[in-house]
Amino acid sequence: MLGALGLAPDEEAVYRALLGRPSATAMLLADALELPEGVVEKSLAHLVEWGLALRSGGEAFVAAPPAMALGALITERRDGLRMAEQALVTFAEEHRAAVAGRSINDLIEVVTGVDAIRLRFQQVQQAARREIRNFVTAPYIAVRPGQNSQEDAAARRGVRFRVVLERPVLAEPDIVAEVVDSLSRGVELRVVDSLPMKLILADDDLALVPISAPLATPPGSEPGAVLLHRSGLLAALEALFETVWQRAYPLELSAFGGELPYAEQEGDEPTELDRRILALLLSGLTDQAVATQLDLSLRTLQRRLRHLMDLAGVESRMQLGWHASRHGWA
């Protein structure tokens, strides 16, 4: 109750016990509160220092009247908070002046060339201490998924990874194995139909944004990117990432990994194999990629999908996906 005034729980307990007695020694209070005498003595010393208790001759103590003693502490805290508010205004003005005094070159660095972009990509990840957020689109400029040497190092530092994949990325060669590897290492992956840009964010301090893709780069020129330091523009990119993350479809390791004995069943409920097929298709993989991942023929996969559509009573895959999500099939 009195923690807001700076009193520890033991100190508050000693003060309240002292209020109910004309005077008391540390030994008496220790017995009454079932606390070690040393703890009570230390609490009494602090109470005397703050004016909440007084010595009453010898080893006895008396409580100072609450209205006077606690009132003084409350007033002191109020004054301290007012001073802190004034300091906040001063500090905010100093920060605004410092930021306003920075040139655009201090906030935005233009990076040109694949090698330079690759270097900045690694440095952004090295700078992260809490979280890395990433938009991944194809084609790749500098670093392919699975070839990111800094990802493991950042993960060992306890850095959280949240990555949104654009759906066409899942059609890239060997991407399924890379997705499984990332999920098994704790990377959080989600997928959306399309992304507005490539992006990597390190905490709320740095962002690297490619501004031209290899296919859009004029012949003879090199791809470029911008490195952003903390600013209003970086805050806008953070908000964009969080908005996309909320609507993206999560990828689960259970849909990709593990041995699954196959038996083609025609029951009234989807089998475990059917559930995995649906999960992978909803993740954005093509029929051929799903069949390869589950070691099925393309014809068998499509037969299972036809059976699931019959079970759901639907005529299209879009309707099947909606039915599967609503009824917990995937």
Side-chain angles (χ1 to χ4, degrees):
M1 187 180 300
L2 299 181
L5 298 178
L7 268 69
D10 289 341
E11 293 163 352
E12 179 177 343
V14 170
Y15 179 66
R16 297 185 69 175
L18 200 57
L19 284 172
R21 294 170 173 79
S23 68
T25 63
M27 182 181 296
L28 188 152
L29 292 170
D31 290 341
L33 296 171
E34 298 181 350
L35 290 172
E37 188 172 346
V39 172
V40 173
E41 289 176 345
K42 185 177 180 180
S43 296
L44 285 168
H46 286 167
L47 293 174
V48 169
E49 180 182 347
W50 293 337
L52 294 175
L54 303 169
R55 288 191 176 273
S56 182
E59 297 181 353
F61 294 83
V62 296
M68 177 185 70
L70 293 177
L73 278 179
I74 292 171
T75 299
E76 183 180 340
R77 286 289 167 134
R78 286 174 178 162
D79 292 342
L81 287 172
R82 277 194 289 269
M83 293 177 64
E85 289 175 347
Q86 293 170 359
L88 171 61
V89 173
T90 301
F91 294 160
E93 290 298 330
E94 291 176 357
H95 178 260
R96 277 194 289 270
V99 172
R102 297 172 69 183
S103 70
I104 192 66
N105 291 332
D106 295 327
L107 298 175
I108 301 177
E109 174 190 347
V110 178
V111 185
T112 305
V114 172
D115 291 340
I117 293 173
R118 182 182 295 115
L119 176 61
R120 288 292 184 265
F121 182 78
Q122 305 293 358
Q123 289 174 337
V124 167
Q125 293 177 95
Q126 290 171 346
R129 291 296 175 265
R130 299 186 307 277
E131 182 177 42
I132 290 173
R133 291 168 284 182
N134 198 1
F135 283 163
V136 178
T137 68
Y140 309 114
I141 293 180
V143 180
R144 283 182 53 85
Q147 299 177 356
N148 184 359
S149 61
Q150 288 300 320
E151 187 174 294
D152 286 340
R156 286 194 296 271
R157 296 197 306 272
V159 175
R160 179 188 184 191
F161 275 83
R162 286 194 289 154
V163 181
V164 180
L165 303 174
E166 192 173 53
R167 199 173 296 277
V169 171
L170 293 173
E172 292 288 313
D174 303 320
I175 192 63
V176 172
E178 293 167 5
V179 166
V180 171
D181 181 61
S182 294
L183 289 171
S184 65
R185 288 186 286 107
V187 176
E188 298 173 53
L189 293 176
R190 296 190 178 187
V191 62
V192 293
D193 289 334
S194 63
L195 287 169
M197 65 181 73
K198 298 178 186 292
L199 168 67
I200 183 168
L201 291 158
D203 300 329
D204 55 358
D205 298 319
L206 292 170
L208 184 67
V209 184
I211 53 178
S212 58
L215 296 181
T217 303
S221 62
E222 294 185 290
V226 290
L227 180 67
L228 304 175
H229 294 265
R230 185 179 299 186
S231 61
L233 180 56
L234 190 144
L237 291 175
E238 288 186 285
L240 171 65
F241 180 92
E242 295 301 334
T243 299
V244 173
W245 178 262
Q246 289 301 319
R247 65 180 177 84
Y249 183 86
L251 302 183
E252 302 290 343
L253 185 60
S254 59
F256 290 86
E259 296 295 327
L260 186 64
Y262 172 64
E264 193 165 344
Q265 302 172 6
E266 300 294 337
D268 294 332
E269 291 291 331
T271 65
E272 187 60 33
L273 175 64
D274 293 334
R275 294 177 185 275
R276 189 169 294 180
I277 288 172
L278 288 168
L280 291 173
L281 288 173
L282 289 172
S283 297
L285 270 66
T286 63
D287 285 8
Q288 186 60 63
V290 174
T292 301
Q293 174 66 21
L294 298 178
D295 196 23
L296 302 173
S297 70
L298 186 59
R299 180 175 297 180
T300 297
L301 172 72
Q302 292 171 344
R303 186 163 55 244
R304 296 308 302 168
L305 286 173
R306 181 68 259 174
H307 173 61
L308 289 170
M309 291 170 67
D310 291 342
L311 281 180
V314 299
E315 296 298 327
S316 69
R317 291 196 180 188
M318 182 177 295
Q319 292 173 331
L320 176 61
W322 179 84
H323 183 92
S325 298
R326 186 174 183 182
H327 291 82
W329 283 11

